[in-house]
């Protein structure tokens, strides 16, 4: 199983059971908990909780919160992201608060908001608990 982006990059999914696609001109509103990859080319409003990759395609528009292993944005995202790795591709746009260990912004990618390093936040939370 693999996911291909418009620039023909391949994302292998050896342990996944497939991928979910929200096609262009499709609107989805609600909360989604998912274990396989998800590719969004339509509009999504709500929360996504994934143990895998969330890919916002070039025509994708997402408003809400994402918790995922990896997030790749080629379209438009507004909200908050908590992920190990976030990639903003050329012409991708992210507005909001992101928490991650790795952040990649390609040329012509746009990020407007606040970013925090995930490991530092976990260290602060652990230190606060130890003080009590």
């Amino acid at each position: 199983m693999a996911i291909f982006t418009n620039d023909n990059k391949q994302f292998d999914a050896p342990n996944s059971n497939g991928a979910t696609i929200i096609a262009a001109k499709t609107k989805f509103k609600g909360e989604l908990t998912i274990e396989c990859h998800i590719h969004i080319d339509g509009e999504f409003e709500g929360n996504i909780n994934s143990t895998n990759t969330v890919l916002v395609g070039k025509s994708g528009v997402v408003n809400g919160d994402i918790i995922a292993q990896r997030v790749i944005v080629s379209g438009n995202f507004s909200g908050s992201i908590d992920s190990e790795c976030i990639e903003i591709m050329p012409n991708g746009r992210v507005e909001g608060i992101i928490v991650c260990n790795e952040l990649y912004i390609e040329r012509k990618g746009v990020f407007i908001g606040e970013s925090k390093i995930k490991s530092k936040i976990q260290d602060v939370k652990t230190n606060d608990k130890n003080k009590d």
Side-chain angles (χ1 to χ4, degrees):
M1 164 62 21
I3 295 177
F4 293 90
T5 63
N6 290 338
D7 57 0
N8 291 325
K9 286 186 181 177
Q10 177 180 342
F11 300 101
D12 292 323
N15 297 325
S16 72
N17 294 329
T20 298
I21 298 172
I22 297 177
K25 299 184 182 178
T26 301
K27 294 182 181 181
F28 185 94
K29 187 174 185 179
E31 187 166 327
L32 185 61
T33 301
I34 191 165
E35 292 184 10
C36 64
H37 293 294
I38 181 165
H39 185 117
I40 303 167
D41 279 325
E43 294 181 30
F44 184 96
E45 183 179 336
N47 301 322
I48 299 172
N49 191 341
S50 174
T51 57
N52 224 312
T53 300
V54 175
L55 192 147
V56 180
K58 287 184 179 181
S59 63
V61 177
V62 176
N63 293 300
D65 299 328
I66 296 177
I67 298 173
Q69 182 66 28
R70 183 176 181 192
V71 178
I72 302 167
V73 180
S74 295
N76 290 296
F77 173 82
S78 179
S80 67
I81 301 174
D82 185 335
S83 181
E84 287 298 314
C85 177
I86 299 171
E87 296 180 47
I88 303 172
M89 306 306 282
N91 300 315
R93 182 180 181 94
V94 173
E95 293 186 39
I97 299 171
I98 59 174
V99 178
C100 62
N101 285 326
E102 297 177 41
L103 172 62
Y104 301 95
I105 303 174
E106 297 282 338
R107 176 180 276 176
K108 296 188 179 181
V110 176
F111 172 61
I112 301 170
E114 179 181 349
S115 66
K116 298 178 183 178
I117 300 171
K118 189 171 195 156
S119 59
K120 299 255 186 203
I121 290 174
Q122 290 172 344
D123 291 343
V124 169
K125 288 179 183 177
T126 303
N127 289 337
D128 288 344
K129 286 181 183 178
N130 291 336
K131 288 180 183 177
D132 293 336

